[in-house]
Amino acid sequence: MSSFVREVRDAVTGRAALLVTGVLVLQLAFIASYVGAFHHPQPRDIRLGVVAPRQVAGSLADRLGRLPGDPLEPEVKTDRTAAERGLRERDLDAALVVDPRGTKDTLLVASGAGASLAQAAEAVTTRAEAAEHRTVKVVDVAPAAAGDSRGLTSFYLVVGWCVGGYLCAAILAISAGARPANRHRAVIRLAALAAYAAVSGLLGAVVTGPVLDALPAGVAPLWGLGALVVFAVGALTLALQSLAGVVGIGLAIAIVVVLGNPSAGGAYPYPLLPPFWRVIGPALPPGAGTWSARSLAYFDGNALTCPLLVLSGWAVAGAAVTWVGAIIRERKKATVERNDGFGEQKSTAR
């Protein structure tokens, strides 16, 4: 028995035990994040344009804004054209056009931004209209493509790109050490990541576009977006590896997968997510990438500035941390070598 205990002690090192504990924590965080984000979707602050006669538009918007749970965030629009423009520019999630001559109004939605959001807007508005003895006709001004079930293709495409980004960076670490030894090695890794990102972005765009006909966006715009997503996630992973060694891979998974995927607005767009996930989603690569892919596919490339800045920020910051970390290690190594050299000279002199 004592020999078996000694074998266990030799086989299970303290470092291995810490890594396994880290995996357990990551697993529990994954479960908590996904279940927390998805277990009870509730509409909140759906941006609703309201088109109605001037004398009732303000009071109607006020009533809709005071619904229990605050599911709607109404905004009066001058006419249907302005409401449709707000939807296409992604300033609105839906719009209610009131018919003053009858009892059937029109709800404008954009299922390309997510079928669940369009359905939530319809459900809330239908209940509110029923209380006023009115009905609603739904018109989809930006419908998801036939091959894009529930508007989820953009989300799954971006998830695939994100997986490729952190796996590529992880493989570079496994094959040549978690931290680049000097600035030249850092440049080589970043260049390899950039080449992989370009190929990955192109292939993802081709598969979802011409091959599967799942996303109605041009190959070139999706290619550029995919390359940026992959490089941003890969650079983030390289930076975390530079700071924390192999543990950086787990940290990257925590940011991109555990926090980023459930908050990306894929299965449930932002107005259906709990506050925490709704706040962090747009600032993380999966959320910025999903929003951008949907904008390219269904909204003529509108509302792209902020998400592209987010992705570019992650890419630049990751590359900078990787580069600076390599310089610091290079200088430390040179300092150690000089000190060792001085020690040898003093020993020889003695």
Side-chain angles (χ1 to χ4, degrees):
M1 190 64 176
S2 59
S3 61
F4 177 75
V5 172
R6 285 196 299 271
E7 286 290 339
V8 170
R9 288 176 178 173
D10 289 339
V12 182
T13 63
R15 184 171 183 270
L18 286 174
L19 289 175
V20 171
T21 302
V23 170
L24 177 61
V25 171
L26 193 62
Q27 171 190 308
L28 294 177
F30 182 97
I31 294 170
S33 184
Y34 277 73
V35 175
F38 297 154
H39 79 290
H40 189 51
Q42 287 285 347
R44 186 175 178 84
D45 296 332
I46 295 175
R47 299 169 300 173
L48 179 75
V50 177
V51 179
R54 186 177 304 173
Q55 59 271 24
V56 301
S59 60
L60 174 59
D62 288 340
R63 288 200 303 274
L64 292 173
R66 292 196 300 267
L67 291 175
D70 298 322
L72 301 176
E73 186 180 286
E75 176 184 342
V76 175
K77 292 293 181 181
T78 55
D79 53 31
R80 178 167 176 163
T81 300
E84 289 189 4
R85 183 169 59 251
L87 278 166
R88 297 188 186 282
E89 293 178 354
R90 308 201 74 179
D91 293 326
L92 296 175
D93 300 313
L96 179 65
V97 182
V98 175
D99 182 1
R101 296 167 297 181
T103 60
K104 177 178 263 189
D105 300 328
T106 301
L107 179 68
L108 307 178
V109 298
S111 62
S116 57
L117 177 57
Q119 291 169 353
E122 179 182 355
V124 172
T125 308
T126 299
R127 288 196 300 269
E129 288 279 273
E132 302 293 328
H133 307 289
R134 302 182 69 85
T135 58
V136 172
K137 176 181 71 174
V138 178
V139 176
D140 198 340
V141 300
D148 184 10
S149 177
R150 299 186 61 78
L152 290 174
T153 297
S154 297
F155 171 60
Y156 290 129
L157 173 61
V158 171
V159 167
W161 279 331
C162 289
V163 169
Y166 65 72
L167 284 182
C168 177
I171 288 172
L172 290 173
I174 293 171
S175 62
R179 299 179 174 94
N182 52 56
R183 70 189 76 185
H184 298 109
R185 295 291 181 91
V187 169
I188 291 170
R189 290 193 187 189
L190 290 169
L193 176 62
Y196 175 85
V199 174
S200 176
L202 175 60
L203 294 179
V206 169
V207 168
T208 55
V211 175
L212 297 178
D213 195 23
L215 205 60
V219 170
L222 278 182
W223 180 8
L225 173 63
L228 180 57
V229 169
V230 175
F231 186 82
V233 173
L236 164 65
T237 308
L238 287 177
L240 292 174
Q241 291 171 168
S242 177
L243 295 172
V246 71
V247 175
I249 299 173
L251 296 176
I253 293 174
I255 293 172
V256 177
V257 179
V258 174
L259 295 177
N261 286 355
S263 66
Y268 294 116
Y270 298 136
L272 303 183
L273 292 175
F276 173 74
W277 288 267
R278 187 187 315 170
V279 169
I280 68 172
L284 298 177
T290 299
W291 178 279
S292 299
R294 283 175 171 163
S295 289
L296 291 173
Y298 299 113
F299 300 96
D300 301 321
N302 290 318
L304 279 176
T305 302
C306 285
L308 291 183
L309 285 175
V310 168
L311 291 170
S312 300
W314 284 106
V316 171
V321 170
T322 302
W323 169 259
V324 171
I327 292 176
I328 292 173
R329 281 187 296 277
E330 188 175 3
R331 289 178 177 175
K332 283 184 177 179
K333 182 180 179 181
T335 301
V336 170
E337 289 176 348
R338 282 198 303 272
N339 290 338
D340 288 346
F342 291 148
E344 289 179 0
Q345 290 175 7
K346 289 179 181 179
S347 176
T348 301
R350 288 174 185 170

